[in-house]
């Protein structure tokens, strides 16, 4: 997979960076210069989990299964019924995968999806035929905006906004044949990049889900990582100073570390939800930008975007594509600008460097986006049609299943919507404000300065949520 090899002088962790035999690129070792106490539950201590984590045949078996499901879903998108409720591809890709499976697993367990991702498996196989060109590393910022440096990691912020727009604004998620075209283009881009660049560049720098996973996993109460007692020269996350087999950062779950060094423990660590957002191992402004976009596209665009389209005749008069693009990107730009202003005010009041404030406090807004999506869409969607989704998936692969479509009564769903639109969203404000307070305490010397750093952000969270709840009502 990779030409990264340890230099002759490489010894203990943190001694020397690996050097590419081809290009001479020097990258820091994973976890360079840091040691942590082991702690956690050792997954290698259990025979079953050790087999799943360290046997080289297990992951390919799961991946082959997922590739088969992916291929069948694509075929059904074109050849199956063009009703999104019964088409296997639409049910598998959007009814089950994107919202319940992907989002819930990210919040609870981190980046576990990469382990079985079919596109990741395809690109890993094709990597052996690549031209193996180097893609620019993220460490040197390429663009500076108001003093904040952004690098190639910001590509995922752009690809996420571009990938999400056609799904819900152009109806791709509800039209099976369009969904098939969408994923064929998606796969084509991944293959093209793989055949040019080394080290699964699509998964690490371009995949829209990668950027989302890199920040939402900070809310996860569970972290899985391998102890760093030996070197893994071909680790995909070397330049991120991450842990091996990390559920955070941009680990692609290639399993080279666990299969190559099965004697090193893989530990499951419990933590309070959001702990990883308070004190990140490596501060990257690009990921802060992604956190803001998650907040922008879920509650803000969902509410404000539709209002802009409905209230302004000048927007309605635009061509259909622009009529969707203008509110969409207006919501994103307005959200980022509002946060940047508030972050600058908070930094000036508390004595924090503005670029540090931008890069750290953005993660406190993740709960506002994720809780909205879970509370207003994922959970009520499963209440209304969870059984129907399972029926559609099972029947699509030839397994007869006839579960009740709804998992809750209409009255229960109505009560949940009221809860999700009010109390549930206000709980996300408390969660975000709590994370912001701990970030403020970490960045300031006194409680007084921490309060000065917190107040502007708390006011923005409260005001934006009040606005969203009001428009939902």
């Amino acid at each position: 997979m990779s030409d990264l090899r340890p230099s002759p002088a490489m010894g203990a962790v943190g001694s020397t960076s690996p050097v590419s035999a081809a290009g001479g690129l020097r990258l820091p070792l994973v976890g360079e210069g840091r040691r942590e106490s082991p702690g956690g539950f050792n997954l290698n201590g259990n025979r079953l989990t050790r087999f799943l984590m360290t046997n080289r045949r297990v992951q390919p078996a799961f991946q082959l299964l997922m590739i088969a499901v992916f291929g069948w879903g694509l075929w059904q998108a074109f050849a199956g019924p063009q009703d999104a409720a019964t088409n296997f591809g639409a049910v598998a890709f959007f009814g089950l995968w994107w919202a319940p499976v992907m989002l819930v697993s990210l919040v609870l367990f981190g980046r576990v999806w990469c382990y079985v991702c079919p596109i990741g498996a395809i690109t890993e196989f094709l990597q052996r035929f690549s031209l193996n060109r180097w893609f620019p590393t993220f460490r040197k910022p390429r663009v500076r905006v108001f003093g904040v440096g952004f690098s190639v990691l910001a590509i995922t912020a752009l690809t996420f906004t571009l990938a999400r727009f056609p799904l819900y604004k152009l109806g791709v998620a509800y039209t099976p044949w369009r969904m098939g075209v969408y994923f064929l283009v998606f796969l084509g881009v991944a293959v093209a990049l793989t055949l040019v660049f080394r080290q699964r560049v699509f998964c690490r720098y371009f995949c829209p889900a990668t950027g989302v996973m890199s920040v939402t996993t900070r809310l996860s109460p569970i972290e899985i990582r391998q102890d760093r007692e030996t070197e893994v020269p071909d680790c995909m996350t070397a330049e991120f100073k991450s842990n091996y087999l990390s559920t955070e950062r941009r680990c692609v779950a290639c399993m080279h570390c666990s299969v190559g060094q099965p004697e090193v423990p893989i530990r499951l660590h419990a933590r309070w939800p959001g702990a990883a957002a308070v004190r990140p191992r490596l501060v990257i402004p690009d990921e802060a930008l992604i956190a803001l976009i998650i907040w922008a596209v879920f509650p803000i665009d969902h509410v404000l975007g539709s209002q802009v389209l409905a209230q302004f005749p000048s927007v309605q008069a635009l061509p259909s594509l622009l009529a969707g693009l203008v509110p969409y990107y207006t919501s994103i730009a307005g959200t980022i600008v509002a946060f940047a202003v508030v972050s600058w005010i908070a930094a000036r009041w508390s004595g924090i460097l503005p670029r540090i404030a931008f890069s750290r406090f953005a993660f406190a807004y993740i709960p506002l986006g994720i809780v909205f999506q879970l509370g207003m869409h994922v959970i009520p969607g499963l209440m209304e049609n969870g059984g129907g989704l399972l029926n559609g998936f099972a029947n699509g692969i030839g397994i007869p299943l006839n579960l009740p479509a709804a998992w809750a009564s209409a009255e229960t769903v109505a009560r949940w919507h009221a809860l999700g639109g009010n109390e549930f969203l206000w709980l996300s404000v408390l969660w975000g404000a709590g994370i912001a307070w701990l970030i403020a305490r970490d960045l300031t010397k006194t409680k007084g300065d921490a309060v000065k750093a917190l107040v502007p952000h708390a006011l923005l969270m409260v005001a934006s949520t009040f606005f969203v709840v009001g428009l939902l009502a």
Side-chain angles (χ1 to χ4, degrees), residues 82-85 87 90 94 166-179 302 377:
Q82 290 303 298
D83 176 16
N87 184 279
F94 294 110
L167 294 181
Y168 303 103
K169 301 297 184 177
L170 300 181
V172 169
Y174 314 110
T175 311
W177 72 267
R178 291 182 178 177
M179 181 207 65
H302 180 84
H377 295 283

mmCIF file with all atom_site columns, all heavy atoms in Angstrom, residues 82-85 87 90 94 166-179 302 377:
data_model
loop_
_atom_site.group_PDB
_atom_site.id
_atom_site.type_symbol
_atom_site.label_atom_id
_atom_site.label_alt_id
_atom_site.label_comp_id
_atom_site.label_asym_id
_atom_site.label_entity_id
_atom_site.label_seq_id
_atom_site.pdbx_PDB_ins_code
_atom_site.Cartn_x
_atom_site.Cartn_y
_atom_site.Cartn_z
_atom_site.occupancy
_atom_site.B_iso_or_equiv
_atom_site.pdbx_formal_charge
_atom_site.auth_seq_id
_atom_site.auth_comp_id
_atom_site.auth_asym_id
_atom_site.auth_atom_id
_atom_site.pdbx_PDB_model_num
ATOM 1   N N   . GLN A 1 82  ? -38.875 2.151  -9.287  1.00 0.00 ? 82  GLN A N   1
ATOM 2   C CA  . GLN A 1 82  ? -38.418 3.520  -9.083  1.00 0.00 ? 82  GLN A CA  1
ATOM 3   C C   . GLN A 1 82  ? -39.165 4.226  -7.952  1.00 0.00 ? 82  GLN A C   1
ATOM 4   O O   . GLN A 1 82  ? -39.280 5.451  -7.936  1.00 0.00 ? 82  GLN A O   1
ATOM 5   C CB  . GLN A 1 82  ? -38.553 4.299  -10.388 1.00 0.00 ? 82  GLN A CB  1
ATOM 6   C CG  . GLN A 1 82  ? -37.575 3.868  -11.461 1.00 0.00 ? 82  GLN A CG  1
ATOM 7   C CD  . GLN A 1 82  ? -36.121 3.967  -11.018 1.00 0.00 ? 82  GLN A CD  1
ATOM 8   O OE1 . GLN A 1 82  ? -35.632 5.051  -10.717 1.00 0.00 ? 82  GLN A OE1 1
ATOM 9   N NE2 . GLN A 1 82  ? -35.429 2.830  -10.956 1.00 0.00 ? 82  GLN A NE2 1
ATOM 10  N N   . ASP A 1 83  ? -39.661 3.441  -7.025  1.00 0.00 ? 83  ASP A N   1
ATOM 11  C CA  . ASP A 1 83  ? -40.270 3.954  -5.803  1.00 0.00 ? 83  ASP A CA  1
ATOM 12  C C   . ASP A 1 83  ? -39.225 3.853  -4.693  1.00 0.00 ? 83  ASP A C   1
ATOM 13  O O   . ASP A 1 83  ? -38.771 2.750  -4.359  1.00 0.00 ? 83  ASP A O   1
ATOM 14  C CB  . ASP A 1 83  ? -41.517 3.148  -5.445  1.00 0.00 ? 83  ASP A CB  1
ATOM 15  C CG  . ASP A 1 83  ? -42.134 3.588  -4.126  1.00 0.00 ? 83  ASP A CG  1
ATOM 16  O OD1 . ASP A 1 83  ? -41.788 4.690  -3.648  1.00 0.00 ? 83  ASP A OD1 1
ATOM 17  O OD2 . ASP A 1 83  ? -42.941 2.819  -3.574  1.00 0.00 ? 83  ASP A OD2 1
ATOM 18  N N   . ALA A 1 84  ? -38.831 4.989  -4.133  1.00 0.00 ? 84  ALA A N   1
ATOM 19  C CA  . ALA A 1 84  ? -37.756 4.992  -3.135  1.00 0.00 ? 84  ALA A CA  1
ATOM 20  C C   . ALA A 1 84  ? -38.091 4.164  -1.904  1.00 0.00 ? 84  ALA A C   1
ATOM 21  O O   . ALA A 1 84  ? -37.195 3.684  -1.212  1.00 0.00 ? 84  ALA A O   1
ATOM 22  C CB  . ALA A 1 84  ? -37.438 6.427  -2.722  1.00 0.00 ? 84  ALA A CB  1
ATOM 23  N N   . ALA A 1 85  ? -39.376 3.974  -1.630  1.00 0.00 ? 85  ALA A N   1
ATOM 24  C CA  . ALA A 1 85  ? -39.763 3.219  -0.444  1.00 0.00 ? 85  ALA A CA  1
ATOM 25  C C   . ALA A 1 85  ? -39.564 1.720  -0.615  1.00 0.00 ? 85  ALA A C   1
ATOM 26  O O   . ALA A 1 85  ? -39.434 0.989  0.372   1.00 0.00 ? 85  ALA A O   1
ATOM 27  C CB  . ALA A 1 85  ? -41.216 3.510  -0.090  1.00 0.00 ? 85  ALA A CB  1
ATOM 28  N N   . ASN A 1 87  ? -37.445 0.397  -3.466  1.00 0.00 ? 87  ASN A N   1
ATOM 29  C CA  . ASN A 1 87  ? -36.221 0.103  -4.201  1.00 0.00 ? 87  ASN A CA  1
ATOM 30  C C   . ASN A 1 87  ? -35.098 -0.255 -3.225  1.00 0.00 ? 87  ASN A C   1
ATOM 31  O O   . ASN A 1 87  ? -34.818 0.489  -2.287  1.00 0.00 ? 87  ASN A O   1
ATOM 32  C CB  . ASN A 1 87  ? -35.811 1.310  -5.043  1.00 0.00 ? 87  ASN A CB  1
ATOM 33  C CG  . ASN A 1 87  ? -34.596 1.026  -5.901  1.00 0.00 ? 87  ASN A CG  1
ATOM 34  O OD1 . ASN A 1 87  ? -33.462 1.071  -5.433  1.00 0.00 ? 87  ASN A OD1 1
ATOM 35  N ND2 . ASN A 1 87  ? -34.835 0.747  -7.177  1.00 0.00 ? 87  ASN A ND2 1
ATOM 36  N N   . ALA A 1 90  ? -32.248 2.418  -2.785  1.00 0.00 ? 90  ALA A N   1
ATOM 37  C CA  . ALA A 1 90  ? -32.643 3.602  -2.026  1.00 0.00 ? 90  ALA A CA  1
ATOM 38  C C   . ALA A 1 90  ? -32.790 3.278  -0.549  1.00 0.00 ? 90  ALA A C   1
ATOM 39  O O   . ALA A 1 90  ? -32.375 4.050  0.326   1.00 0.00 ? 90  ALA A O   1
ATOM 40  C CB  . ALA A 1 90  ? -33.955 4.166  -2.581  1.00 0.00 ? 90  ALA A CB  1
ATOM 41  N N   . PHE A 1 94  ? -29.859 5.076  1.671   1.00 0.00 ? 94  PHE A N   1
ATOM 42  C CA  . PHE A 1 94  ? -30.333 6.272  2.366   1.00 0.00 ? 94  PHE A CA  1
ATOM 43  C C   . PHE A 1 94  ? -31.280 5.963  3.515   1.00 0.00 ? 94  PHE A C   1
ATOM 44  O O   . PHE A 1 94  ? -31.224 6.616  4.555   1.00 0.00 ? 94  PHE A O   1
ATOM 45  C CB  . PHE A 1 94  ? -31.020 7.214  1.372   1.00 0.00 ? 94  PHE A CB  1
ATOM 46  C CG  . PHE A 1 94  ? -30.067 7.773  0.361   1.00 0.00 ? 94  PHE A CG  1
ATOM 47  C CD1 . PHE A 1 94  ? -30.131 7.381  -0.959  1.00 0.00 ? 94  PHE A CD1 1
ATOM 48  C CD2 . PHE A 1 94  ? -29.096 8.678  0.735   1.00 0.00 ? 94  PHE A CD2 1
ATOM 49  C CE1 . PHE A 1 94  ? -29.236 7.881  -1.891  1.00 0.00 ? 94  PHE A CE1 1
ATOM 50  C CE2 . PHE A 1 94  ? -28.201 9.178  -0.191  1.00 0.00 ? 94  PHE A CE2 1
ATOM 51  C CZ  . PHE A 1 94  ? -28.267 8.782  -1.508  1.00 0.00 ? 94  PHE A CZ  1
ATOM 52  N N   . PRO A 1 166 ? -27.062 17.695 -3.783  1.00 0.00 ? 166 PRO A N   1
ATOM 53  C CA  . PRO A 1 166 ? -27.976 16.995 -4.701  1.00 0.00 ? 166 PRO A CA  1
ATOM 54  C C   . PRO A 1 166 ? -28.849 15.958 -4.011  1.00 0.00 ? 166 PRO A C   1
ATOM 55  O O   . PRO A 1 166 ? -29.938 15.642 -4.495  1.00 0.00 ? 166 PRO A O   1
ATOM 56  C CB  . PRO A 1 166 ? -27.031 16.349 -5.720  1.00 0.00 ? 166 PRO A CB  1
ATOM 57  C CG  . PRO A 1 166 ? -25.732 16.225 -5.021  1.00 0.00 ? 166 PRO A CG  1
ATOM 58  C CD  . PRO A 1 166 ? -25.652 17.403 -4.112  1.00 0.00 ? 166 PRO A CD  1
ATOM 59  N N   . LEU A 1 167 ? -28.393 15.418 -2.882  1.00 0.00 ? 167 LEU A N   1
ATOM 60  C CA  . LEU A 1 167 ? -29.162 14.375 -2.214  1.00 0.00 ? 167 LEU A CA  1
ATOM 61  C C   . LEU A 1 167 ? -30.529 14.869 -1.797  1.00 0.00 ? 167 LEU A C   1
ATOM 62  O O   . LEU A 1 167 ? -31.552 14.210 -2.036  1.00 0.00 ? 167 LEU A O   1
ATOM 63  C CB  . LEU A 1 167 ? -28.397 13.855 -0.995  1.00 0.00 ? 167 LEU A CB  1
ATOM 64  C CG  . LEU A 1 167 ? -27.088 13.118 -1.263  1.00 0.00 ? 167 LEU A CG  1
ATOM 65  C CD1 . LEU A 1 167 ? -26.472 12.651 0.040   1.00 0.00 ? 167 LEU A CD1 1
ATOM 66  C CD2 . LEU A 1 167 ? -27.307 11.943 -2.196  1.00 0.00 ? 167 LEU A CD2 1
ATOM 67  N N   . TYR A 1 168 ? -30.562 16.034 -1.167  1.00 0.00 ? 168 TYR A N   1
ATOM 68  C CA  . TYR A 1 168 ? -31.808 16.512 -0.591  1.00 0.00 ? 168 TYR A CA  1
ATOM 69  C C   . TYR A 1 168 ? -32.375 17.741 -1.294  1.00 0.00 ? 168 TYR A C   1
ATOM 70  O O   . TYR A 1 168 ? -33.558 18.027 -1.174  1.00 0.00 ? 168 TYR A O   1
ATOM 71  C CB  . TYR A 1 168 ? -31.604 16.802 0.894   1.00 0.00 ? 168 TYR A CB  1
ATOM 72  C CG  . TYR A 1 168 ? -31.112 15.588 1.638   1.00 0.00 ? 168 TYR A CG  1
ATOM 73  C CD1 . TYR A 1 168 ? -29.791 15.453 2.007   1.00 0.00 ? 168 TYR A CD1 1
ATOM 74  C CD2 . TYR A 1 168 ? -31.983 14.538 1.922   1.00 0.00 ? 168 TYR A CD2 1
ATOM 75  C CE1 . TYR A 1 168 ? -29.339 14.314 2.659   1.00 0.00 ? 168 TYR A CE1 1
ATOM 76  C CE2 . TYR A 1 168 ? -31.555 13.400 2.580   1.00 0.00 ? 168 TYR A CE2 1
ATOM 77  C CZ  . TYR A 1 168 ? -30.222 13.295 2.945   1.00 0.00 ? 168 TYR A CZ  1
ATOM 78  O OH  . TYR A 1 168 ? -29.781 12.164 3.583   1.00 0.00 ? 168 TYR A OH  1
ATOM 79  N N   . LYS A 1 169 ? -31.546 18.476 -1.999  1.00 0.00 ? 169 LYS A N   1
ATOM 80  C CA  . LYS A 1 169 ? -32.024 19.662 -2.691  1.00 0.00 ? 169 LYS A CA  1
ATOM 81  C C   . LYS A 1 169 ? -32.486 19.354 -4.115  1.00 0.00 ? 169 LYS A C   1
ATOM 82  O O   . LYS A 1 169 ? -33.323 20.059 -4.671  1.00 0.00 ? 169 LYS A O   1
ATOM 83  C CB  . LYS A 1 169 ? -30.920 20.725 -2.737  1.00 0.00 ? 169 LYS A CB  1
ATOM 84  C CG  . LYS A 1 169 ? -30.424 21.159 -1.360  1.00 0.00 ? 169 LYS A CG  1
ATOM 85  C CD  . LYS A 1 169 ? -31.526 21.817 -0.548  1.00 0.00 ? 169 LYS A CD  1
ATOM 86  C CE  . LYS A 1 169 ? -30.988 22.326 0.787   1.00 0.00 ? 169 LYS A CE  1
ATOM 87  N NZ  . LYS A 1 169 ? -32.021 23.023 1.572   1.00 0.00 ? 169 LYS A NZ  1
ATOM 88  N N   . LEU A 1 170 ? -31.916 18.318 -4.720  1.00 0.00 ? 170 LEU A N   1
ATOM 89  C CA  . LEU A 1 170 ? -32.288 17.944 -6.083  1.00 0.00 ? 170 LEU A CA  1
ATOM 90  C C   . LEU A 1 170 ? -33.044 16.620 -6.134  1.00 0.00 ? 170 LEU A C   1
ATOM 91  O O   . LEU A 1 170 ? -33.329 16.107 -7.202  1.00 0.00 ? 170 LEU A O   1
ATOM 92  C CB  . LEU A 1 170 ? -31.041 17.865 -6.972  1.00 0.00 ? 170 LEU A CB  1
ATOM 93  C CG  . LEU A 1 170 ? -30.222 19.149 -7.106  1.00 0.00 ? 170 LEU A CG  1
ATOM 94  C CD1 . LEU A 1 170 ? -29.033 18.926 -8.024  1.00 0.00 ? 170 LEU A CD1 1
ATOM 95  C CD2 . LEU A 1 170 ? -31.078 20.315 -7.615  1.00 0.00 ? 170 LEU A CD2 1
ATOM 96  N N   . GLY A 1 171 ? -33.322 16.048 -4.969  1.00 0.00 ? 171 GLY A N   1
ATOM 97  C CA  . GLY A 1 171 ? -34.144 14.850 -4.917  1.00 0.00 ? 171 GLY A CA  1
ATOM 98  C C   . GLY A 1 171 ? -33.448 13.555 -5.250  1.00 0.00 ? 171 GLY A C   1
ATOM 99  O O   . GLY A 1 171 ? -34.118 12.538 -5.493  1.00 0.00 ? 171 GLY A O   1
ATOM 100 N N   . VAL A 1 172 ? -32.118 13.535 -5.255  1.00 0.00 ? 172 VAL A N   1
ATOM 101 C CA  . VAL A 1 172 ? -31.403 12.293 -5.584  1.00 0.00 ? 172 VAL A CA  1
ATOM 102 C C   . VAL A 1 172 ? -31.746 11.182 -4.594  1.00 0.00 ? 172 VAL A C   1
ATOM 103 O O   . VAL A 1 172 ? -31.918 10.015 -4.981  1.00 0.00 ? 172 VAL A O   1
ATOM 104 C CB  . VAL A 1 172 ? -29.876 12.553 -5.608  1.00 0.00 ? 172 VAL A CB  1
ATOM 105 C CG1 . VAL A 1 172 ? -29.109 11.240 -5.672  1.00 0.00 ? 172 VAL A CG1 1
ATOM 106 C CG2 . VAL A 1 172 ? -29.513 13.433 -6.791  1.00 0.00 ? 172 VAL A CG2 1
ATOM 107 N N   . ALA A 1 173 ? -31.865 11.524 -3.323  1.00 0.00 ? 173 ALA A N   1
ATOM 108 C CA  . ALA A 1 173 ? -32.140 10.515 -2.303  1.00 0.00 ? 173 ALA A CA  1
ATOM 109 C C   . ALA A 1 173 ? -33.510 9.879  -2.472  1.00 0.00 ? 173 ALA A C   1
ATOM 110 O O   . ALA A 1 173 ? -33.760 8.807  -1.920  1.00 0.00 ? 173 ALA A O   1
ATOM 111 C CB  . ALA A 1 173 ? -32.029 11.141 -0.910  1.00 0.00 ? 173 ALA A CB  1
ATOM 112 N N   . TYR A 1 174 ? -34.376 10.513 -3.235  1.00 0.00 ? 174 TYR A N   1
ATOM 113 C CA  . TYR A 1 174 ? -35.742 10.007 -3.381  1.00 0.00 ? 174 TYR A CA  1
ATOM 114 C C   . TYR A 1 174 ? -36.020 9.496  -4.795  1.00 0.00 ? 174 TYR A C   1
ATOM 115 O O   . TYR A 1 174 ? -37.152 9.134  -5.107  1.00 0.00 ? 174 TYR A O   1
ATOM 116 C CB  . TYR A 1 174 ? -36.735 11.117 -3.031  1.00 0.00 ? 174 TYR A CB  1
ATOM 117 C CG  . TYR A 1 174 ? -36.373 11.840 -1.757  1.00 0.00 ? 174 TYR A CG  1
ATOM 118 C CD1 . TYR A 1 174 ? -35.920 13.162 -1.787  1.00 0.00 ? 174 TYR A CD1 1
ATOM 119 C CD2 . TYR A 1 174 ? -36.430 11.196 -0.521  1.00 0.00 ? 174 TYR A CD2 1
ATOM 120 C CE1 . TYR A 1 174 ? -35.562 13.824 -0.623  1.00 0.00 ? 174 TYR A CE1 1
ATOM 121 C CE2 . TYR A 1 174 ? -36.071 11.845 0.644   1.00 0.00 ? 174 TYR A CE2 1
ATOM 122 C CZ  . TYR A 1 174 ? -35.638 13.165 0.589   1.00 0.00 ? 174 TYR A CZ  1
ATOM 123 O OH  . TYR A 1 174 ? -35.276 13.808 1.747   1.00 0.00 ? 174 TYR A OH  1
ATOM 124 N N   . THR A 1 175 ? -35.012 9.465  -5.652  1.00 0.00 ? 175 THR A N   1
ATOM 125 C CA  . THR A 1 175 ? -35.163 8.987  -7.028  1.00 0.00 ? 175 THR A CA  1
ATOM 126 C C   . THR A 1 175 ? -34.099 7.932  -7.286  1.00 0.00 ? 175 THR A C   1
ATOM 127 O O   . THR A 1 175 ? -32.923 8.259  -7.459  1.00 0.00 ? 175 THR A O   1
ATOM 128 C CB  . THR A 1 175 ? -35.004 10.147 -8.030  1.00 0.00 ? 175 THR A CB  1
ATOM 129 O OG1 . THR A 1 175 ? -35.815 11.247 -7.625  1.00 0.00 ? 175 THR A OG1 1
ATOM 130 C CG2 . THR A 1 175 ? -35.398 9.704  -9.425  1.00 0.00 ? 175 THR A CG2 1
ATOM 131 N N   . PRO A 1 176 ? -34.469 6.649  -7.290  1.00 0.00 ? 176 PRO A N   1
ATOM 132 C CA  . PRO A 1 176 ? -33.472 5.578  -7.350  1.00 0.00 ? 176 PRO A CA  1
ATOM 133 C C   . PRO A 1 176 ? -32.478 5.681  -8.505  1.00 0.00 ? 176 PRO A C   1
ATOM 134 O O   . PRO A 1 176 ? -31.274 5.489  -8.299  1.00 0.00 ? 176 PRO A O   1
ATOM 135 C CB  . PRO A 1 176 ? -34.333 4.316  -7.453  1.00 0.00 ? 176 PRO A CB  1
ATOM 136 C CG  . PRO A 1 176 ? -35.571 4.665  -6.691  1.00 0.00 ? 176 PRO A CG  1
ATOM 137 C CD  . PRO A 1 176 ? -35.824 6.106  -7.026  1.00 0.00 ? 176 PRO A CD  1
ATOM 138 N N   . TRP A 1 177 ? -32.930 5.963  -9.735  1.00 0.00 ? 177 TRP A N   1
ATOM 139 C CA  . TRP A 1 177 ? -31.977 5.979  -10.842 1.00 0.00 ? 177 TRP A CA  1
ATOM 140 C C   . TRP A 1 177 ? -30.978 7.121  -10.698 1.00 0.00 ? 177 TRP A C   1
ATOM 141 O O   . TRP A 1 177 ? -29.811 6.981  -11.064 1.00 0.00 ? 177 TRP A O   1
ATOM 142 C CB  . TRP A 1 177 ? -32.694 6.053  -12.188 1.00 0.00 ? 177 TRP A CB  1
ATOM 143 C CG  . TRP A 1 177 ? -33.333 7.381  -12.523 1.00 0.00 ? 177 TRP A CG  1
ATOM 144 C CD1 . TRP A 1 177 ? -34.606 7.763  -12.284 1.00 0.00 ? 177 TRP A CD1 1
ATOM 145 C CD2 . TRP A 1 177 ? -32.690 8.497  -13.156 1.00 0.00 ? 177 TRP A CD2 1
ATOM 146 N NE1 . TRP A 1 177 ? -34.830 9.050  -12.720 1.00 0.00 ? 177 TRP A NE1 1
ATOM 147 C CE2 . TRP A 1 177 ? -33.666 9.519  -13.271 1.00 0.00 ? 177 TRP A CE2 1
ATOM 148 C CE3 . TRP A 1 177 ? -31.400 8.729  -13.640 1.00 0.00 ? 177 TRP A CE3 1
ATOM 149 C CZ2 . TRP A 1 177 ? -33.382 10.758 -13.838 1.00 0.00 ? 177 TRP A CZ2 1
ATOM 150 C CZ3 . TRP A 1 177 ? -31.126 9.973  -14.210 1.00 0.00 ? 177 TRP A CZ3 1
ATOM 151 C CH2 . TRP A 1 177 ? -32.102 10.960 -14.313 1.00 0.00 ? 177 TRP A CH2 1
ATOM 152 N N   . ARG A 1 178 ? -31.413 8.254  -10.164 1.00 0.00 ? 178 ARG A N   1
ATOM 153 C CA  . ARG A 1 178 ? -30.480 9.356  -9.908  1.00 0.00 ? 178 ARG A CA  1
ATOM 154 C C   . ARG A 1 178 ? -29.486 8.961  -8.824  1.00 0.00 ? 178 ARG A C   1
ATOM 155 O O   . ARG A 1 178 ? -28.313 9.330  -8.888  1.00 0.00 ? 178 ARG A O   1
ATOM 156 C CB  . ARG A 1 178 ? -31.244 10.608 -9.479  1.00 0.00 ? 178 ARG A CB  1
ATOM 157 C CG  . ARG A 1 178 ? -32.074 11.240 -10.586 1.00 0.00 ? 178 ARG A CG  1
ATOM 158 C CD  . ARG A 1 178 ? -32.753 12.491 -10.083 1.00 0.00 ? 178 ARG A CD  1
ATOM 159 N NE  . ARG A 1 178 ? -33.531 13.139 -11.137 1.00 0.00 ? 178 ARG A NE  1
ATOM 160 C CZ  . ARG A 1 178 ? -34.265 14.216 -10.970 1.00 0.00 ? 178 ARG A CZ  1
ATOM 161 N NH1 . ARG A 1 178 ? -34.349 14.779 -9.757  1.00 0.00 ? 178 ARG A NH1 1
ATOM 162 N NH2 . ARG A 1 178 ? -34.941 14.742 -11.964 1.00 0.00 ? 178 ARG A NH2 1
ATOM 163 N N   . MET A 1 179 ? -29.967 8.220  -7.843  1.00 0.00 ? 179 MET A N   1
ATOM 164 C CA  . MET A 1 179 ? -29.069 7.745  -6.794  1.00 0.00 ? 179 MET A CA  1
ATOM 165 C C   . MET A 1 179 ? -28.003 6.829  -7.378  1.00 0.00 ? 179 MET A C   1
ATOM 166 O O   . MET A 1 179 ? -26.839 6.865  -6.983  1.00 0.00 ? 179 MET A O   1
ATOM 167 C CB  . MET A 1 179 ? -29.880 7.008  -5.739  1.00 0.00 ? 179 MET A CB  1
ATOM 168 C CG  . MET A 1 179 ? -29.071 6.485  -4.568  1.00 0.00 ? 179 MET A CG  1
ATOM 169 S SD  . MET A 1 179 ? -29.857 5.060  -3.830  1.00 0.00 ? 179 MET A SD  1
ATOM 170 C CE  . MET A 1 179 ? -29.746 3.891  -5.184  1.00 0.00 ? 179 MET A CE  1
ATOM 171 N N   . HIS A 1 302 ? -31.686 23.658 7.152   1.00 0.00 ? 302 HIS A N   1
ATOM 172 C CA  . HIS A 1 302 ? -32.964 22.961 7.135   1.00 0.00 ? 302 HIS A CA  1
ATOM 173 C C   . HIS A 1 302 ? -34.116 23.922 7.409   1.00 0.00 ? 302 HIS A C   1
ATOM 174 O O   . HIS A 1 302 ? -35.192 23.812 6.806   1.00 0.00 ? 302 HIS A O   1
ATOM 175 C CB  . HIS A 1 302 ? -32.966 21.842 8.182   1.00 0.00 ? 302 HIS A CB  1
ATOM 176 C CG  . HIS A 1 302 ? -34.240 21.061 8.229   1.00 0.00 ? 302 HIS A CG  1
ATOM 177 N ND1 . HIS A 1 302 ? -34.504 20.014 7.380   1.00 0.00 ? 302 HIS A ND1 1
ATOM 178 C CD2 . HIS A 1 302 ? -35.345 21.194 9.016   1.00 0.00 ? 302 HIS A CD2 1
ATOM 179 C CE1 . HIS A 1 302 ? -35.714 19.530 7.641   1.00 0.00 ? 302 HIS A CE1 1
ATOM 180 N NE2 . HIS A 1 302 ? -36.234 20.224 8.631   1.00 0.00 ? 302 HIS A NE2 1
ATOM 181 N N   . HIS A 1 377 ? -35.050 13.813 12.623  1.00 0.00 ? 377 HIS A N   1
ATOM 182 C CA  . HIS A 1 377 ? -35.118 12.987 11.424  1.00 0.00 ? 377 HIS A CA  1
ATOM 183 C C   . HIS A 1 377 ? -34.895 11.497 11.705  1.00 0.00 ? 377 HIS A C   1
ATOM 184 O O   . HIS A 1 377 ? -35.739 10.667 11.374  1.00 0.00 ? 377 HIS A O   1
ATOM 185 C CB  . HIS A 1 377 ? -34.103 13.483 10.391  1.00 0.00 ? 377 HIS A CB  1
ATOM 186 C CG  . HIS A 1 377 ? -34.409 14.853 9.881   1.00 0.00 ? 377 HIS A CG  1
ATOM 187 N ND1 . HIS A 1 377 ? -35.395 15.099 8.963   1.00 0.00 ? 377 HIS A ND1 1
ATOM 188 C CD2 . HIS A 1 377 ? -33.869 16.058 10.186  1.00 0.00 ? 377 HIS A CD2 1
ATOM 189 C CE1 . HIS A 1 377 ? -35.456 16.393 8.706   1.00 0.00 ? 377 HIS A CE1 1
ATOM 190 N NE2 . HIS A 1 377 ? -34.551 16.998 9.432   1.00 0.00 ? 377 HIS A NE2 1
#
